[in-house]
Amino acid sequence: MDKENVNSRQLRVFCLTARYGNFSQAARMMGVSPAYISKNIKALEAELDVMLFHRSTRHVALTEQGEEIYALSRQILQDIEQLHDTVAEYKQEPRGRLKVSTSFGFGRQVVAPALAEFTRRYPDIQIQIEVLDQLVNLALEHYDLDIRIGDLIDPNYIARHLAYNHRVLCASPDYLERRGEPRELQELTRHDCLIVRERDHPVGIWALNCGSTVSNVKVNGPLITNNGEVALSWAVAGHGIVLRSVWDAGKYLESGRLRVILPDYRQIANIWAVYPQRLEHSAKIKVCVEFLAHHFATMVSLPTARP
């Protein structure tokens, strides 16, 4: 075996294939053909003189030796990434790929445009953004950064506050005319509430702040979704009461298509950048977080909701 012939490209292909258990999926994630994946896996197996995968028609599974090599390969790739970060930090020239996770609606409407603008300022950084309906294990799944809404953050991570945000209760004038406007919090239990399965919140329980008091109310309704944009469209169409962030509902509140109800109540849902401790000194993460903090501080699209 010639040690010099094992390269980081082959290790990256191997690790991605091991993660997804499928040549085609690994190819899609890298933007290459399945044949490219197969060629690199075969080359790595030949160089190491070991079989890495058990192969079937649709899936591949790591062999016992493959499991051990997978763990070592991941560590090698992390070390290479850290090497690039260290050199970039020294040169003050952030570079490399930045893998970012965020939630559906916020990611599409707010985070994605911000990161696109970020790449104009830092063209040597490649952004890979994934919008997900659940929180990810940043270290285990190799994410550099998570941009999230909500103040419940794993203490094992580093978190940077980016912007203040809160959610408000709102409904369409048509719905309120038909069903009446609730005047007390517990009246929500008698209304059609539009429930969103958020990334880290219990389904159907709305924790609402009134001054320094937090009240939990169990709500129900005929419509449930994991997409806030869908729930908001239902509210605009008169199907019920929704709890949405002011950045999301603001344009409908301004136009009068939605009205704030129970204006003394709100749900605190600030915007945070979260990243693993092992990347604390990453140049690319530092410049991205600083950019986003400035971007959100100057945004005019996080309006203050008005009753």
Side-chain angles (χ1 to χ4, degrees):
M1 178 180 67
D2 188 346
K3 296 179 181 179
E4 294 181 355
N5 287 339
V6 176
N7 58 59
S8 62
R9 182 193 68 247
Q10 292 171 341
L11 295 182
R12 201 174 301 279
V13 169
F14 166 58
C15 287
L16 204 59
T17 304
R19 177 183 174 187
Y20 289 102
N22 182 284
F23 281 15
S24 297
Q25 180 65 17
R28 283 193 291 272
M29 295 303 295
M30 292 191 72
V32 298
S33 68
Y36 177 90
I37 300 294
S38 179
K39 178 182 177 181
N40 277 273
I41 294 297
K42 288 179 180 178
L44 183 59
E45 288 179 325
E47 290 298 333
L48 297 177
D49 193 24
V50 67
M51 180 178 289
L52 298 172
F53 293 104
H54 298 296
R55 293 165 169 82
S56 67
T57 305
R58 312 187 96 183
H59 299 285
V60 294
L62 287 167
T63 63
E64 182 177 354
Q65 288 177 306
E67 290 279 3
E68 296 178 4
I69 294 171
Y70 178 47
L72 289 171
S73 298
R74 286 174 57 187
Q75 185 59 54
I76 290 169
L77 291 174
Q78 289 174 11
D79 290 343
I80 292 173
E81 187 77 10
Q82 186 63 49
L83 173 63
H84 283 301
D85 286 341
T86 299
V87 174
E89 181 83 4
Y90 178 77
K91 292 182 176 180
Q92 296 184 341
E93 295 176 357
R95 61 182 294 275
R97 186 181 65 168
L98 192 65
K99 188 176 179 182
V100 181
S101 62
T102 189
S103 55
F104 280 141
F106 184 62
R108 186 184 69 82
Q109 296 184 46
V110 180
V111 179
L115 291 179
E117 186 63 30
F118 169 77
T119 60
R120 290 183 176 177
R121 185 172 300 181
Y122 296 96
D124 291 332
I125 296 180
Q126 180 188 56
I127 295 292
Q128 177 183 335
I129 181 172
E130 297 191 13
V131 292
L132 306 162
D133 64 352
Q134 75 272 341
L135 292 175
V136 296
N137 185 317
L138 299 181
L140 184 62
E141 300 184 49
H142 307 296
Y143 285 93
D144 299 306
L145 189 62
D146 183 48
I147 308 302
R148 69 179 60 172
I149 293 178
D151 294 357
L152 295 176
I153 298 171
D154 189 321
N156 293 317
Y157 295 141
I158 299 171
R160 168 76 180 271
H161 182 265
L162 297 178
Y164 291 101
N165 176 61
H166 62 271
R167 298 184 177 108
V168 294
L169 295 161
C170 47
S172 70
D174 174 65
Y175 175 85
L176 296 174
E177 183 177 346
R178 285 187 289 108
R179 297 291 301 274
E181 182 171 344
R183 302 297 179 182
E184 300 291 338
L185 191 61
Q186 291 306 316
E187 292 181 34
L188 291 176
T189 61
R190 299 195 294 272
H191 278 266
D192 292 337
C193 292
L194 306 170
I195 299 170
V196 182
R197 290 191 289 107
E198 301 283 357
R199 297 170 98 197
D200 56 348
H201 294 280
V203 177
I205 298 177
W206 289 351
L208 298 164
N209 298 72
C210 182
S212 59
T213 302
V214 180
S215 301
N216 292 317
V217 56
K218 175 68 175 174
V219 297
N220 208 343
L223 296 170
I224 301 175
T225 179
N226 68 337
N227 189 300
E229 292 173 290
V230 170
L232 194 61
S233 69
W234 286 339
V236 172
H239 292 293
I241 296 170
V242 72
L243 178 66
R244 295 308 298 154
S245 291
V246 291
W247 63 264
D248 195 13
K251 62 182 179 181
Y252 298 110
L253 297 170
E254 293 289 339
S255 68
R257 297 181 70 186
L258 290 178
R259 280 172 38 198
V260 172
I261 63 171
L262 298 170
D264 292 336
Y265 290 92
R266 59 177 56 187
Q267 185 179 85
I268 304 302
N270 294 315
I271 301 170
W272 297 84
V274 181
Y275 45 100
Q277 290 185 4
R278 67 180 179 84
L279 294 175
E280 181 178 9
H281 301 295
S282 167
K284 61 187 179 184
I285 290 179
K286 282 186 177 181
V287 295
C288 186
V289 170
E290 291 296 334
F291 175 88
L292 291 174
H294 176 74
H295 177 82
F296 288 130
T298 57
M299 278 181 65
V300 296
S301 55
L302 293 179
T304 300
R306 301 180 302 184

